[in-house]
Amino acid sequence: MYFALGASLALAGFLLLNACFSLCVNFVFRLVQKTAAERPRATFFFLLRILPACASALCILSLVIPSYFILEPRGTSERIGWALSLLAALATLLLAHALLQGAASWNRSRLILRDWLQRSQPVSLPGVNIPAYKLPADNLKEPFPVVAVIGALRPRLFISEHVFDALNGEEFAATLQHEIGHIIARDNLKRWLARMCPAVLPFLPRAGRLDRVWHAASEECADIYAVQKGNAAPLSLASALIKVSRMMPPCNEQAIPTGAYFLGREDLPDVARRVHVLLDAADSSGAVAVSQSATRRKQFLLFGLLASSTLLLVLSYPTLLLGVHEVLEQFLHLVS
């Protein structure tokens, strides 16, 4: 009963903390979403997406579980009530669904990757230091313009044959630099981790929009990388976006695995905005306006906050455990 009670408290605490952090994230996202289109902040939106699950897990592992096993007597007479059992069961279902979703996504990508490897042929592409393959268009269910980096740990680049034929040299080079931007940012790994983070309160008005805004921001950040670091011409990248968008089939049944692809059907509403940003960059001598000094200041500020928070937690840890244990006692009496 001792360990069952501790596990139930940990699961219920994870569920309630996740709900509280989700409400906070929803409020913060409401404040910043108006500027999302003006300033693509993919990393910020990714952190918002995983914050509820990660912060809840951190609190449970570092505070709730230690306070229970250190301060709760082994011969406790407290019992698991029906309310606590219900909360623990809901948390278990939530975690199981997230783990199954992540495993299914990984397995689906693995199966399609194996199929594509059997159908495609290796190619050597300039400036690409990962395995690259040409995917014959006839082997696809639909003539989908595949330009995709597949794989989180060992990425591979797949490009359909008709994309090779449709783009000229500069457009093709800009497209490759866009995909390299996804590789540098490890977007595939981030998307898989986000699927592994259980989301609660799906009824929140901006629960689904955060994922869409994060996806759009990651695509725009890859465009910025292609122009700034990859030395791609903004007009060439804009032209490639337009050409590939026109190659989209009217009904897409092609199964695209979890990966960073140049353009998908869900990206079509954002193509016009991305093209306008690139055209503005071309008018301003090809530079997309991103303040590197401001980014470094934010990084130093974030590091200082994390270091200060860690030091404060270490110094007040014993007192904090006592407070957490008192909260657990009050919570247990409430749900018993």
Side-chain angles (χ1 to χ4, degrees):
M1 181 59 68
Y2 177 80
F3 292 100
L5 179 61
S8 299
L9 285 172
L11 289 170
F14 175 82
L15 181 68
L16 296 176
L17 286 172
N18 203 336
C20 293
F21 284 123
S22 296
L23 288 173
C24 295
V25 165
N26 185 70
F27 176 75
V28 173
F29 180 61
R30 180 181 179 181
L31 297 178
V32 302
Q33 68 171 337
K34 293 182 180 180
T35 62
E38 301 173 2
R39 293 169 52 192
R41 295 172 288 185
T43 302
F44 176 73
F45 291 128
F46 168 69
L47 293 177
L48 280 184
R49 171 62 181 83
I50 68 172
L51 176 63
C54 292
S56 302
L58 181 62
C59 290
I60 296 300
L61 293 175
S62 62
L63 296 175
V64 174
I65 293 179
S67 67
Y68 179 82
F69 284 106
I70 293 174
L71 300 175
E72 185 71 18
R74 292 299 180 101
T76 180
S77 60
E78 295 171 320
R79 295 292 182 263
I80 303 175
W82 67 268
L84 181 59
S85 299
L86 178 60
L87 291 174
L90 290 175
T92 302
L93 291 175
L94 184 71
L95 290 170
H97 178 265
L99 292 176
L100 289 176
Q101 187 178 15
S105 175
W106 189 282
N107 185 61
R108 185 169 61 252
S109 298
R110 182 183 62 84
L111 292 177
I112 299 180
L113 177 61
R114 184 175 62 183
D115 177 65
W116 282 12
L117 286 174
Q118 292 175 351
R119 296 171 181 269
S120 61
Q121 50 184 315
V123 292
S124 178
L125 300 176
V128 177
N129 56 0
I130 65 172
Y133 302 87
K134 178 188 288 188
L135 197 60
D138 295 339
N139 289 333
L140 297 174
K141 296 179 182 179
E142 294 275 349
F144 191 88
V146 175
V147 182
V149 174
I150 308 301
L153 301 179
R154 293 185 297 172
R156 296 173 176 87
L157 175 63
F158 290 89
I159 303 176
S160 57
E161 188 176 14
H162 58 306
V163 173
F164 270 97
D165 300 333
L167 303 183
N168 62 35
E170 293 183 353
E171 293 168 346
F172 190 73
T175 301
L176 293 181
Q177 291 301 319
H178 174 94
E179 294 304 309
I180 291 175
H182 282 303
I183 297 172
I184 297 298
R186 298 185 180 274
D187 283 332
N188 285 355
L189 181 60
K190 290 177 180 178
R191 288 167 185 169
W192 181 74
L193 289 175
R195 284 181 171 85
M196 295 285 288
C197 291
V200 297
L201 306 180
F203 56 85
L204 291 177
R206 294 166 183 83
R209 180 165 171 75
L210 176 57
D211 283 332
R212 294 192 294 271
V213 171
W214 166 40
H215 177 79
S218 66
E219 293 299 327
E220 292 191 38
C221 287
D223 290 342
I224 292 174
Y225 176 90
V227 173
Q228 287 191 338
K229 302 293 181 63
N231 297 322
L235 290 179
S236 298
L237 184 56
S239 177
L241 280 170
I242 294 173
K243 285 185 177 181
V244 174
S245 66
R246 290 176 176 175
M247 296 167 64
M248 288 285 182
C251 181
N252 172 28
E253 297 180 356
Q254 172 62 34
I256 300 294
T258 303
Y261 41 98
F262 182 64
L263 198 63
R265 183 158 297 280
E266 69 274 16
D267 299 318
L268 291 180
D270 299 320
V271 168
R273 185 179 73 249
R274 290 169 62 183
V275 169
H276 280 300
V277 171
L278 291 169
L279 293 178
D280 292 340
D283 293 337
S284 59
S285 302
V288 178
V290 173
S291 176
Q292 299 294 336
S293 59
T295 301
R296 290 180 180 177
R297 286 197 298 268
K298 291 179 180 178
Q299 290 176 348
F300 282 121
L301 178 61
L302 180 60
F303 177 78
L305 290 175
L306 290 176
S308 302
S309 301
T310 303
L311 180 60
L312 182 62
L313 178 62
V314 171
L315 294 177
S316 60
Y317 193 66
T319 305
L320 197 57
L321 289 183
L322 290 172
V324 171
H325 186 260
E326 180 63 26
V327 172
L328 289 179
E329 292 291 334
Q330 296 297 328
F331 175 72
L332 189 57
H333 291 154
L334 181 65
V335 297
S336 297

